Amino acid sequence: MILRAALFALCALIGGAAHAGGLMDRTVTFGALAYDDPDAPIYVGERHPAQVGHGIEYGLGPEGSQNGWDIVPAIIDIRDRQIILTYPDTVSGEFPEPAFNGYVLDFLTECVLFNGAEQDIETSTVTLGEGAIFVEGARLFVDVGGLEYGPEVFVVVSVDVADCPLS
């Protein structure tokens, strides 16, 4: 009985340690952003809060025109160490290509959350441009400018998450 309790405690400790280094259960806000000059954005989407869990966190739809721009419907699934972007059957086209046109995921924490992030080329169906994925502290930016979108498009971003307390 004592051995079983000790093994259970050890498994819980190991599982908790692995969990602390991922995105699961973290609070995040997500939105779209487009700019040629970061100080004068062309489009600033609404910020959509969620807690990362087992399932799709965001199903974006149009939010209203700003400077002739609006949201292309998208589906965002955040996993423990991946972000997966897909698009519904109802849309297809190509994103305009200003200096930045994409998504910003802001994980609400005070620490530097990411050691790095990169596209998972093997599971993505399209290739993002060089420098399209970058991090600033607890913010992850994914630039989809120039990218074709549609129901067959999958963009998979793998993240290296630092050991940072849950937000």
Side-chain angles (χ1 to χ4, degrees), residues 13 16 50 72 126 133 141 149 151:
L13 180 63
V72 169
V126 294
I133 299 169
F141 295 80
Y149 60 87

Side-chain angles (χ1 to χ4, degrees), residues 10-124:
L10 179 61
C11 288
L13 180 63
I14 291 169
H19 176 76
L23 298 177
M24 198 61 64
D25 296 325
R26 292 190 182 276
T27 302
V28 58
T29 64
F30 180 90
L33 176 65
Y35 61 77
D36 279 318
D37 174 359
D39 295 325
I42 301 166
Y43 185 88
V44 179
E46 295 176 22
R47 301 303 301 168
H48 303 276
Q51 185 168 4
V52 178
H54 300 285
I56 294 171
E57 279 71 25
Y58 303 103
L60 291 183
E63 296 177 356
S65 181
Q66 294 177 31
N67 300 314
W69 290 61
D70 203 349
I71 297 289
V72 169
I75 302 161
I76 292 77
D77 182 7
I78 304 172
R79 300 188 178 171
D80 203 38
R81 297 188 185 280
Q82 287 184 322
I83 291 94
I84 301 168
L85 308 170
T86 59
Y87 299 90
D89 293 340
T90 57
V91 300
S92 63
E94 186 174 313
F95 286 105
E97 211 169 348
F100 181 88
N101 180 12
Y103 308 111
V104 181
L105 290 88
D106 188 3
F107 291 86
L108 305 179
T109 183
E110 296 297 320
C111 66
V112 175
L113 183 59
F114 299 106
N115 293 320
E118 63 185 9
Q119 183 178 10
D120 183 337
I121 300 296
E122 290 184 20
T123 55
S124 295

